[in-house]
Amino acid sequence: MADNFHDILYEIINGLQDGILGTLKIQKLGKAESEETLRKDPEPMTTLARRRAERKKDEVQHKKKEPKIIQRIVLCCAWNGGISLMSILLFNHLLLPVVQLIIAGIFGGSGSNSVWNWIGPILSWTFSALWILPIFVLSKVVNSLWYQDIADAAYFQYRGKPKQFNISSLIADISFSVLLQALFLIQGTLFMFLPIPAVGQIIGHIHMALLYSLYAFEYKWLNMGWEVHKRLSHIENCWPYFFGFGLPMAVLTSLHPSVVISGCIFSILFPVFIISANEASEPKRICSFPLKVFAPVVALSNAIFRRATVGSTNISSGQSKPGVPPTGKPRKRVGISQYSQECS
């Protein structure tokens, strides 16, 4: 049965609701953490009970040392909003105008314009090189660690212990996923430069909304043991819901032309949407026409990984022909490309 406009709109609104209202679960998490901290055991009466109580105290102290969800969210907001974003806004809207006024007061008239034309860019380049670039790189590393702590803690509280991955499989899965997401980001950005502005903006926002949903839900799906092909096919099959879920972030991060400021806005919002993704009621109804937006980047990622695998095999074995071992038998290709064949 084909989906009509009403069904698609309903799923979009449902995803939008889960994305926004899921942020209210932060208060629930804070209460649960405080109740766990205040919970006390009765005073032990026997030696055995006393020993058990001592072990429980050690476990409680260890849990108190573990990072809390609320603490990590506050740190993300303070770092990305208070340090990164605020420093950029103060520099652009306070420091530069003050310096320009000082130059105008010293040189006056047309002379101040010529002096500002070369002093202004020098100040901006110096600030970008000595402050924005290091902070931006450091933020990527720090935020990734904090995001993982938030996702693991939220998943454990909502669903229990996550499933264990084989280390090699996990590294391969994450490597392929990172490459695919980077290519998908490029694909969505290219659509924004289409000659028809309205169409390009709409397609670009659809790409960004689905990508942000993939970012937010991927933590939960990895803990559930989902491989990359299952994650992508789920988004493509239920694209109206995930478009609605990621739409707020796609809109808010596109309001400012600066990539750095948009990145700061994303970093502030993203921890909240991780919690929303853990609490969201994902759709069980599959759309009758899946949106195969990941198919081009899946094929390209497969080609890149296949070429990299063959190249590394040739270097290690010293062969001139790709994929042929010294015995002359064709080498079996093992790689991430198997994960995404169901999506292409």
Side-chain angles (χ1 to χ4, degrees):
M1 184 176 180
D3 297 289
N4 54 35
F5 178 76
H6 178 269
D7 295 331
I8 294 176
L9 184 61
Y10 173 79
E11 290 296 339
I12 293 176
I13 294 175
N14 190 24
L16 186 65
Q17 178 180 347
D18 283 351
I20 296 177
L21 297 183
T23 58
L24 302 177
K25 302 298 180 180
I26 299 177
Q27 185 178 4
K28 174 184 174 182
L29 291 173
K31 290 181 179 179
E33 288 177 351
S34 60
E35 288 174 1
E36 183 179 357
T37 304
L38 295 175
R39 192 182 298 122
K40 294 182 180 180
D41 296 324
E43 189 70 23
M45 299 300 295
T46 63
T47 304
L48 181 59
R50 198 174 286 114
R51 291 176 181 175
R52 290 176 179 173
E54 290 176 356
R55 286 197 296 267
K56 288 183 179 180
K57 286 181 181 179
D58 294 337
E59 293 177 359
V60 170
Q61 290 177 356
H62 178 70
K63 288 182 178 180
K64 287 182 180 179
K65 295 179 181 179
E66 292 180 351
K68 302 294 184 180
I69 299 177
I70 304 299
Q71 177 186 357
R72 284 292 186 245
I73 293 176
V74 172
L75 286 174
C76 283
C77 294
W79 175 266
N80 298 290
I83 297 178
S84 302
L85 182 59
M86 189 58 64
S87 64
I88 295 172
L89 295 178
L90 289 176
F91 178 80
N92 291 328
H93 301 287
L94 182 62
L95 182 60
L96 287 182
V98 169
V99 174
Q100 190 173 10
L101 287 175
I102 294 174
I103 292 175
I106 295 175
F107 296 95
S110 60
S112 63
N113 294 330
S114 60
V115 172
W116 177 251
N117 287 336
W118 63 270
I119 286 184
I122 290 176
L123 291 176
S124 298
W125 293 338
T126 303
F127 179 73
S128 299
L130 299 182
W131 179 255
I132 294 181
L133 184 60
I135 287 292
F136 185 77
V137 174
L138 182 61
S139 297
K140 291 296 181 183
V141 178
V142 173
N143 286 333
S144 63
L145 298 176
W146 287 344
Y147 295 158
Q148 190 65 55
D149 288 341
I150 294 170
D152 291 343
Y155 184 88
F156 183 81
Q157 188 157 341
Y158 286 134
R159 303 173 183 272
K161 188 176 181 181
K163 292 186 178 180
Q164 298 295 326
F165 258 100
N166 180 272
I167 297 299
S168 59
S169 299
L170 181 62
I171 294 175
D173 184 284
I174 293 177
S175 301
F176 183 81
S177 181
V178 169
L179 175 62
L180 187 142
Q181 291 169 8
L183 295 176
F184 189 75
L185 177 62
I186 296 173
Q187 175 180 302
T189 304
L190 292 177
F191 272 109
M192 292 185 179
F193 293 99
L194 287 176
I196 308 175
V199 176
Q201 291 295 322
I202 291 174
I203 298 177
H205 277 85
I206 291 175
H207 275 71
M208 298 309 299
L210 295 178
L211 181 62
Y212 290 153
S213 290
L214 177 61
Y215 286 160
F217 280 90
E218 194 167 41
Y219 291 96
K220 180 177 74 171
W221 292 339
L222 275 172
N223 286 330
M224 293 171 62
W226 286 20
E227 294 180 342
V228 64
H229 70 84
K230 187 174 182 179
R231 303 196 296 267
L232 297 180
S233 62
H234 187 50
I235 288 183
E236 291 179 336
N237 292 330
C238 305
W239 66 267
Y241 173 86
F242 292 108
F243 168 70
F245 186 91
L247 185 60
M249 277 196 296
V251 172
L252 292 175
T253 54
S254 65
L255 295 178
H256 200 281
S258 173
V259 177
V260 177
I261 293 180
S262 297
C264 293
I265 295 173
F266 170 82
S267 300
I268 295 172
L269 297 175
F270 187 58
V272 180
F273 278 85
I274 292 177
I275 297 175
S276 298
N278 272 280
E279 185 66 17
S281 301
E282 297 178 37
K284 298 180 180 179
R285 180 174 175 272
I286 296 177
C287 186
S288 60
F289 54 98
L291 199 63
K292 296 291 185 180
V293 291
F294 290 99
V297 295
V298 164
L300 183 57
S301 301
N302 280 336
I304 294 173
F305 262 82
R306 191 178 298 115
R307 189 177 185 85
T309 304
V310 171
S312 61
T313 303
N314 293 337
I315 293 174
S316 61
S317 59
Q319 302 168 34
S320 58
K321 295 182 180 180
V324 180
T327 58
K329 298 180 180 179
R331 185 180 301 274
K332 182 180 179 182
R333 288 179 177 175
V334 179
I336 303 297
S337 59
Q338 296 175 356
Y339 287 2
S340 54
Q341 289 174 356
E342 297 182 13
C343 300
S344 45

